[in-house]
């Protein structure tokens, strides 16, 4: 027993020494163990390793939820050289505590300011750029094409067309929208789109930055539209006890025809037995034609902690993950969109439509719970869920959100 | 050599301090490991938590390892006073405390019912005890499915009564209901009671097992004497059996109060405090504001913890005082 421990210790010590002897270590913490994303990341790392044989890449891949907790410790205690994290307000606490380092030089030297221009505002805080994104995906309405065909419906382009289509669905016993709000964030997707279409990108940002109140007439207009959507279209019953995956069931069964969702959900539809001919994607219809269409497109990114030991190679890796060919391959594997405008996309129809949509977008929102601070996001999303269950409580909810807002952004 | 013996000879007459106090010291030596760990993992964190509740802190350290906390004094407590979610949690805690107490009489009645000699009684007893053996998380999951309006028992029964099976536009089977299926865990009015009902299931089993052991010690002579005096039924139970079960009742109440106050697992599993915070209790709300994904307000979470600790302290001191009184009576 003792002997075993001894040899183990010796082996570890030896390997650590050997590692240090022949190469520079580059420690990367990543946060997705799902088969697709893991493969995309592993392939990219393998390619990086091949191109840089003098760097010894050490990967710690953790579960997404565990990573969210772990990062709060390891940034101070045992910082890797590169870590995955989210841009927007999600990176704000770490930037403010001085735990990430600015990497404007990486953007400057590699021409990312042109190639990744659309995402630059989201990656910036306090006038500096903090990370490099490797992937994002579009949000919109996924719908049952077979139901639309049966009812002879076209993709609605405007609010009125959407309401008319809903009327026809309801007359035929189809619930227009499915959703599962148990974990709250799905409702935020609907709110974001209604707000982006009613008021536009700037109001979305001003709201999540705490610059306008929830009782502001513009936000009230968003909620009034939401009330219309609930009354004239309607969501499935019992949505508050379903997760987003549970909500696929009525969609797959044909009881509901549309789903406001992100592109990651396509796998879920296919697993539920739907084929590509049965489902399709459309952008959320316009409400006010004078407002340029902005979209939700949450991005995933890499950051360099302040306590990183090998900053030089970390920057090399960040430059590498944003390279067009790397982003092309990576996003083909994980079924998402590359952010580098010079990258190619796969011929998957949802990716194609998403790419066209996001390229034409006037602005890219990250998502309510990434753009707003955590405390505000939590209260806001609870308010959205409450509103969806009982629209008559609108004023009380908005006033409560105002009090929370005052507290959060003081 | 000879004169060296003289000073030594006095030693056996006067034993060392340790030897003299052997009886007093020995228990402390055995207690030390437990005391050290109790201090590190329980006592010191209590004071740290009290201290932290006077700060505003998002749980982060700077790159140099310095805390980013800022001193806010009693502001966190002032915020609690105006926080509707806090009051909802407190109200739910109260509902838990009151309704959880049902476990004590129900446990007693099941124990009385099972306290007979029938073939296979051990099997029935273990079946009744079963919910206490399985994890609270599992109980929460089972009840979550039980209440599920789509595929749960509640939904299935309701559909059989009020819904008819039809065919939807694509020819798949579906249900149209005269009245919508009740969605207990998503209803702000009923969700808390739904979770309490789930929590009662294992708690009744716990009380039952306490009473079963208590019933073993009920003196047969007294029962016999009471019977000779003509006592039976409720009177026998209330005046003869229940007083003898007092120790069991005391423990049952203690574990039920503590169980009610620390109800966390089931809420976390069944509703996560939802819909919109209406099933939160203090322990879950503390978790939510301090360490959940949308929380990260450690100071505020600590102030919730402090309030919960204060409430528990009232009960705990009462119980300790009670136990002390009982022990004094025995001496």
């Amino acid at each position: 027993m003792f002997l075993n421990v001894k040899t183990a210790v010796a082996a570890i010590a030896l390997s650590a020494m050997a590692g240090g002897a022949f190469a520079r270590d580059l420690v990367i913490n990543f946060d997705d163990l799902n088969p697709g994303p893991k493969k995309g990341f592993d392939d990219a790392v393998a390619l990086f390793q091949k191109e840089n044989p003098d760097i010894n890449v050490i990967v710690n891949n953790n579960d997404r939820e565990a990573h969210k907790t772990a990062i709060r410790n390891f940034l101070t205690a045992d910082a890797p050289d590169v870590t995955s994290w989210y841009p927007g307000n999600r990176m704000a606490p770490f930037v403010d505590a001085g735990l990430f380092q600015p990497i404007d030089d990486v953007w400057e030297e590699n021409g990312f300011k042109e190639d990744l221009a659309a995402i630059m505002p989201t990656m910036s805080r306090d006038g500096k750029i903090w990370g490099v994104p490797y992937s994002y995906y579009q949000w919109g309405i996924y719908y049952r094409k077979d139901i639309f065909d049966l009812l002879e419906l076209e993709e609605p382009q405007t609010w009125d067309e959407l309401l008319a289509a809903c009327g026809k669905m309801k007359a035929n016993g189809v619930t227009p929208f499915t959703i599962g709000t148990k974990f709250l964030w799905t409702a935020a997707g609907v709110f974001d789109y209604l707000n982006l279409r009613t008021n536009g990108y700037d109001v979305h940002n001003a709201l999540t930055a705490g610059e306008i109140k929830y009782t502001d007439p513009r936000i009230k207009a968003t909620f009034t539209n939401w009330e219309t959507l609930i009354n004239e279209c309607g969501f499935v019953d019992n949505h508050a006890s379903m997760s987003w995956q549970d909500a696929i069931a009525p969609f797959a069964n044909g009881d509901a025809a549309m789903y406001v969702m992100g592109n990651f959900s396509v796998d879920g539809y296919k697993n539920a037995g739907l084929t590509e001919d049965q489902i399709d994607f459309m952008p959320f219809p316009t409400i006010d034609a004078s407002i340029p269409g902005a979209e939700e497109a949450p991005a995933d990114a890499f950051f360099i902690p302040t306590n990183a030991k090998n900053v030089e190679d970390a920057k090399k890796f960040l430059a590498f993950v944003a390279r067009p060919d790397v982003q092309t391959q990576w996003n083909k594997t994980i079924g998402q969109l590359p952010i580098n405008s010079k990258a190619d996309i796969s011929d998957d129809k949802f990716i194609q439509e998403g790419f066209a949509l996001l390229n034409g977008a006037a602005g890219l929102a990250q998502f309510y719970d990434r753009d707003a601070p955590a405390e505000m996001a939590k209260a806001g999303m609870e308010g959205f869920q409450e509103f969806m269950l009982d629209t008559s409580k609108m004023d009380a909810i908005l006033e409560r959100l105002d009090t929370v807002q005052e507290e959060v952004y003081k | 050599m000879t004169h060296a013996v003289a000073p030594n000879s006095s030693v056996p007459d006067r034993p060392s301090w340790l030897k003299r106090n052997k009886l007093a010291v020995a228990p402390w030596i055995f207690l030390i490991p437990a005391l050290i760990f109790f201090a590190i993992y329980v006592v010191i964190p209590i004071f740290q938590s009290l201290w932290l509740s006077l700060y505003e802190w998002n749980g982060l350290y700077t790159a140099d390892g310095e805390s980013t906390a800022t001193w806010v004094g009693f502001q966190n407590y002032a915020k609690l006073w105006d926080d509707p979610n806090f009051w909802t949690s407190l109200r739910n805690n109260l509902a838990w405390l009151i309704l959880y107490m049902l476990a004590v009489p129900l446990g007693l009645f099941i124990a009385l019912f099972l306290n007979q000699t029938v073939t296979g009684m051990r099997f029935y007893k273990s079946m009744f005890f079963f919910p206490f053996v399985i994890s609270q998380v599992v109980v929460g999951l089972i009840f979550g499915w039980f209440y599920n309006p789509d595929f749960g028992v509640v939904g299935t029964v309701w559909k059989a009564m009020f819904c008819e099976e039809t065919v939807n536009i694509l020819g798949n089977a579906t249900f149209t209901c005269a009245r919508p299926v009740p969605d207990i865990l998503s209803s702000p009015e009923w969700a808390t009671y739904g979770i309490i009902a789930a929590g009662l299931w294992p708690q009744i089993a716990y009380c039952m097992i306490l009473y079963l052991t208590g019933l073993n010690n009920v003196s047969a002579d007294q029962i016999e004497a009471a019977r000779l005096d003509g006592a039976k039924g409720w009177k026998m139970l209330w005046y003869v059996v229940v007083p003898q079960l007092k120790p069991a009742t005391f423990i049952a109440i203690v574990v039920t109060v503590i169980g009610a106050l620390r109800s966390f697992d089931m809420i976390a599993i069944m509703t996560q405090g939802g819909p919109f915070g209406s099933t939160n209790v203090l322990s879950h709300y503390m978790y939510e504001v301090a360490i959940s994904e949308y929380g990260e307000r450690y100071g505020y979470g600590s102030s919730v913890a402090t309030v919960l600790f204060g409430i528990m302290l009232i009960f705990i001191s009462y119980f300790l005082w009670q136990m002390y009184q009982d022990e004094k009576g025995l001496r």
Side-chain angles (χ1 to χ4, degrees):
Chain A
M1 181 65 207
F2 260 107
L3 220 113
N4 279 343
V5 173
K6 256 189 197 163
T7 38
V9 169
I12 290 167
L14 208 70
S15 68
M17 265 153 58
F22 76 79
R24 308 192 297 271
D25 286 344
L26 178 70
V27 184
I28 304 173
N29 285 11
F30 190 62
D31 67 339
D32 210 329
L33 289 167
N34 290 314
K38 184 174 181 302
K39 184 175 184 318
F41 173 70
D42 287 345
D43 289 352
V45 167
L47 182 65
F48 181 73
Q49 184 79 76
K50 210 173 116 196
E51 289 177 12
N52 300 282
D54 54 332
I55 301 174
N56 179 34
V57 182
I58 301 166
V59 167
N60 304 313
N61 197 348
N62 208 341
D63 165 66
R64 201 154 258 243
E65 296 308 313
H67 181 78
K68 284 177 184 167
T69 319
I71 191 173
R72 307 177 65 80
N73 288 322
F74 70 60
L75 284 183
T76 310
D78 181 21
D81 299 310
V82 176
T83 181
S84 56
W85 191 241
Y86 315 102
N89 218 296
R90 281 297 180 90
M91 71 180 186
F94 300 134
V95 170
D96 294 346
L99 292 170
F100 285 155
Q101 47 178 293
I103 50 158
D104 294 70
D105 49 340
V106 178
W107 281 63
E108 205 71 62
E109 283 161 23
N110 296 284
F112 290 164
K113 287 192 171 170
E114 291 81 49
D115 296 349
L116 306 173
I119 203 81
M120 202 169 88
T122 328
M123 305 300 313
S124 310
R125 188 174 172 83
D126 302 334
K128 292 186 186 124
I129 307 174
W130 300 91
V132 167
Y134 62 92
S135 170
Y136 63 176
Y137 54 88
Q138 82 274 18
W139 272 67
I141 298 179
Y142 291 81
Y143 67 94
R144 287 293 299 263
K145 188 142 180 39
D146 42 1
I147 297 181
F148 270 53
D149 287 347
L150 270 175
L151 297 174
E152 292 166 348
L153 290 168
E154 293 292 316
E155 289 185 6
Q157 308 287 328
T158 65
W159 187 239
D160 291 334
E161 284 173 27
L162 177 69
L163 297 182
C166 286
K168 202 163 181 188
M169 287 177 213
K170 280 168 95 171
N172 287 279
V174 178
T175 309
F177 284 101
T178 186
I179 194 170
T181 60
K182 184 175 181 187
F183 296 99
L184 304 173
W185 55 268
T186 46
V190 179
F191 169 78
D192 271 352
Y193 262 114
L194 286 164
N195 196 30
L196 286 171
R197 293 293 183 264
T198 312
N199 299 309
Y201 185 57
D202 295 334
V203 171
H204 167 88
N205 282 339
L207 181 74
T208 49
E211 285 153 16
I212 50 179
K213 287 183 160 303
Y214 283 82
T215 46
D216 187 283
R218 288 170 289 184
I219 305 301
K220 274 198 172 164
T222 301
F223 273 86
T224 315
N225 283 335
W226 199 349
E227 197 175 348
T228 313
L229 190 74
I230 291 169
N231 292 337
E232 296 194 22
C233 284
F235 293 84
V236 287
D237 291 334
N238 311 324
H239 58 76
S241 60
M242 290 194 282
S243 68
W244 76 265
Q245 291 99 329
D246 296 336
I248 292 177
F251 186 69
N253 196 40
D255 298 334
M258 295 183 280
Y259 201 173
V260 179
M261 253 295 145
N263 196 53
F264 55 86
S265 59
V266 171
D267 262 349
Y269 311 142
K270 288 181 181 166
N271 290 340
L274 295 173
T275 62
E276 253 185 38
D277 302 330
Q278 289 176 294
I279 36 178
D280 207 348
F281 173 82
M282 64 177 164
F284 200 93
T286 44
I287 294 177
D288 182 340
S290 67
I291 286 171
E295 305 297 329
E296 299 252 65
D300 297 315
F302 284 107
F303 296 83
I304 304 181
T306 307
N307 285 347
K309 290 172 201 77
N310 187 358
V311 177
E312 191 194 328
D313 291 331
K315 286 186 173 168
K316 216 181 242 179
F317 183 74
L318 258 52
F320 168 84
V321 296
R323 232 167 57 190
D325 60 317
V326 176
Q327 291 221 334
T328 303
Q329 191 49 47
W330 194 329
N331 285 292
K332 263 184 192 161
T333 311
I334 64 179
Q336 292 192 11
L337 287 165
I339 301 182
N340 193 312
S341 57
K342 288 184 183 142
D344 296 323
I345 51 167
S346 71
D347 38 16
D348 177 85
K349 74 169 173 178
F350 298 104
I351 295 294
Q352 298 271 359
E353 286 195 58
F355 191 70
L357 177 71
L358 295 189
N359 271 359
L364 297 178
Q366 280 304 293
F367 202 73
Y368 181 78
D369 77 344
R370 289 197 195 175
D371 285 331
E375 188 185 347
M376 186 71 243
K378 172 80 181 169
M381 294 191 302
E382 283 185 353
F384 301 156
Q385 189 196 36
E386 187 172 0
F387 176 76
M388 287 186 73
L389 290 175
D390 184 358
T391 50
S392 68
K393 287 195 195 148
M394 181 171 105
D395 290 321
I397 293 169
L398 292 179
E399 271 160 36
R400 197 179 67 231
L401 292 185
D402 270 355
T403 5
V404 177
Q405 195 189 41
E406 253 170 59
E407 178 58 40
V408 173
Y409 300 90
K410 61 172 184 250
Chain B
M1 230 28 197
T2 44
H3 62 258
V5 176
N8 276 348
S9 65
S10 69
V11 172
D13 297 336
R14 185 138 178 82
S16 72
W17 180 87
L18 200 65
K19 279 221 170 111
R20 272 182 286 122
N21 295 290
K22 213 162 44 179
L23 278 181
V25 170
W28 288 104
I29 291 178
F30 286 110
L31 277 174
I32 278 174
L35 284 179
I36 289 175
F37 283 104
F38 190 67
I40 292 177
Y41 293 110
V42 179
V43 181
I44 296 172
I46 288 176
F47 287 100
Q48 283 179 323
S49 168
L50 289 176
W51 186 240
L52 197 55
S53 73
L54 305 176
Y55 284 89
E56 191 174 302
W57 187 39
N58 64 1
L60 289 180
Y61 294 91
T62 64
D64 310 325
E66 277 168 43
S67 165
T68 57
T70 48
W71 172 268
V72 292
F74 285 91
Q75 264 181 39
N76 282 328
Y77 294 94
K79 262 193 249 170
L80 271 187
W81 187 263
D82 293 323
D83 182 351
N85 283 331
F86 168 73
W87 291 107
T88 311
S89 308
L90 202 61
R91 228 183 357 261
N92 285 337
N93 259 130
L94 203 66
W96 271 87
L97 261 180
I98 294 168
L99 291 175
Y100 228 46
M101 278 302 145
L102 286 175
V104 178
L106 290 175
L108 173 62
F109 285 114
I110 295 178
L112 290 169
F113 174 65
L114 290 179
N115 192 37
Q116 22 186 325
T117 34
V118 181
T119 355
M121 205 55 201
R122 275 167 186 253
F123 175 72
Y124 302 129
K125 279 182 187 170
S126 50
M127 287 288 60
F128 273 92
F129 188 53
F130 179 68
F132 183 68
V133 178
I134 55 179
S135 149
Q136 295 243 322
V137 174
V138 177
V139 174
L141 268 180
I142 293 174
F143 268 78
W145 291 331
F146 178 81
Y147 291 138
N148 188 294
D150 291 316
F151 57 80
V153 177
V154 172
T156 314
V157 170
W158 188 273
K159 278 176 188 162
M161 284 159 62
F162 298 103
C163 305
E164 54 176 331
E165 197 170 341
T166 52
V167 172
N168 72 11
I169 186 163
L170 294 174
N172 295 331
T174 187
F175 288 93
T176 40
C177 300
R179 270 185 274 172
V181 188
D183 192 355
I184 295 169
L185 291 182
S186 304
S187 130
E189 295 89 29
W190 294 106
T192 291
Y193 302 107
I195 304 173
I196 295 174
L200 275 174
W201 190 43
Q203 193 64 30
I204 289 171
Y206 194 6
C207 292
M208 177 203 81
I209 209 78
L210 290 172
Y211 277 121
L212 272 178
T213 41
L215 283 171
N216 282 335
N217 298 329
V218 168
S219 114
D221 314 356
Q222 287 190 28
I223 305 272
E224 197 63 26
R227 198 162 280 155
L228 287 177
D229 285 343
K232 50 184 164 190
W234 288 105
K235 285 207 160 151
M236 172 77 110
L237 176 67
W238 189 248
Y239 292 106
V240 182
V241 178
V242 170
Q244 294 191 61
L245 288 174
K246 199 183 157 219
T249 309
F250 179 68
I251 297 293
I253 290 177
V254 171
V255 295
T256 307
V257 165
I258 292 174
L261 285 174
R262 43 182 272 188
S263 49
F264 175 90
D265 324 37
M266 289 202 196
I267 294 165
I269 284 294
M270 293 170 80
T271 62
Q272 287 85 39
F276 47 89
S278 51
T279 57
N280 255 337
V281 293
L282 289 178
S283 56
H284 191 266
Y285 189 52
M286 163 185 84
Y287 159 79
E288 198 179 284
V289 293
I291 41 188
S292 76
E293 189 180 349
Y294 298 110
E296 290 155 15
R297 289 181 289 154
Y298 286 81
Y300 196 55
S302 298
S303 66
V304 179
T306 306
V307 172
L308 182 59
F309 178 66
I311 296 171
M312 283 207 173
L313 210 56
I314 297 172
F315 287 101
I316 292 169
S317 1
Y318 170 73
F319 293 143
L320 287 179
W321 179 77
Q322 188 73 36
M323 282 206 278
Y324 178 69
Q325 294 296 317
D326 286 355
E327 276 188 18
K328 233 173 35 181
L330 284 178
R331 265 180 217 155

